[in-house]
Amino acid sequence: MGALRHMLSRGLELLALAMALLAAVAMVGIVGIITTSVIMRRFFNSPVHITEDMVGLMLSAMLFLALPLVTLRAEHVRVSIVADALQSRIPRLLRIAAMLVGVLFFGWILLESIPWFEFAWKRILKSETARVLLYPWMAALPLSVAVTWVIFAGRLLGLLAPERPHAPEELQ
């Protein structure tokens, strides 16, 4: 069981890191295309025509591709008023409830995102302005949600170590 936990944890970490690297590349791409478009508009009165489409696609992909690593490391934004108030009384029950909500939510989103992705794939959908294929960008959602679901399910089943959120004093 220990070897399985280690392999799953390490595999998920490497996959989440690779996805986060792609998110960082998308972030650099956003800055690059906006900078290029501004320079082109200012000096040549001709902005890059694909800017809006590409920035929107890269932003969406970036947000979803970063989600698994943030979830794995428990570094997401938290609203912790209720959790802090109940922490000393029922910490284990609260963690289980949070993991169940994560499993249900990300499972539901995964089930909804697969037909959505297939629709774009089968019809070879493209963006209106730049005519950029949409399905490669849309693949970020089901992939990201599936990996995040595995993280929540792994924690719920005890296959991954429980998340340890940072205490406020650790963040300073």
Side-chain angles (χ1 to χ4, degrees):
M1 185 68 156
L4 176 64
R5 277 182 81 172
H6 178 72
M7 283 180 22
L8 180 63
S9 178
R10 187 70 180 138
L12 282 172
E13 185 173 353
L14 290 173
L15 181 57
L17 280 169
M19 292 170 72
L21 179 63
L22 289 174
V25 168
M27 193 180 312
V28 169
I30 289 170
V31 172
I33 197 164
I34 289 174
T35 302
T36 303
S37 188
V38 167
I39 290 169
M40 293 292 291
R41 180 185 311 263
R42 174 72 175 108
F43 294 109
F44 303 105
N45 199 26
S46 176
V48 179
H49 75 283
I50 64 170
T51 300
E52 289 81 11
D53 284 356
M54 292 306 299
V55 168
L57 292 169
M58 285 190 268
L59 180 63
S60 298
M62 177 189 71
L63 294 172
F64 285 113
L65 289 170
L67 181 63
L69 186 63
V70 170
T71 302
L72 189 62
R73 293 185 175 174
E75 293 178 342
H76 36 66
V77 175
R78 296 175 183 271
V79 179
S80 58
I81 294 172
V82 175
D84 290 347
L86 298 175
Q87 193 74 25
S88 61
R89 295 183 184 100
I90 48 172
R92 189 168 192 278
L93 187 60
L94 195 59
R95 278 196 307 271
I96 290 171
M99 289 183 283
L100 277 173
V101 167
V103 165
L104 291 173
F105 176 77
F106 285 101
W108 171 56
I109 296 297
L110 179 61
L111 290 176
E112 292 291 329
S113 71
I114 292 171
W116 173 75
F117 171 75
E118 286 176 342
F119 180 83
W121 173 279
K122 288 177 183 175
R123 287 160 183 80
I124 311 171
L125 295 182
K126 296 179 180 178
S127 65
E128 279 190 47
T129 306
R131 308 298 301 153
V132 176
L133 278 176
L134 293 177
Y135 65 82
W137 301 95
M138 293 170 69
L141 176 63
L143 175 63
S144 168
V145 169
V147 174
T148 305
W149 184 87
V150 170
I151 292 167
F152 275 105
R155 285 203 174 114
L156 184 63
L157 297 173
L159 298 173
L160 291 175
E163 69 178 31
R164 293 180 340 139
H166 297 290
E169 57 275 0
E170 290 178 13
L171 298 175
Q172 296 175 358

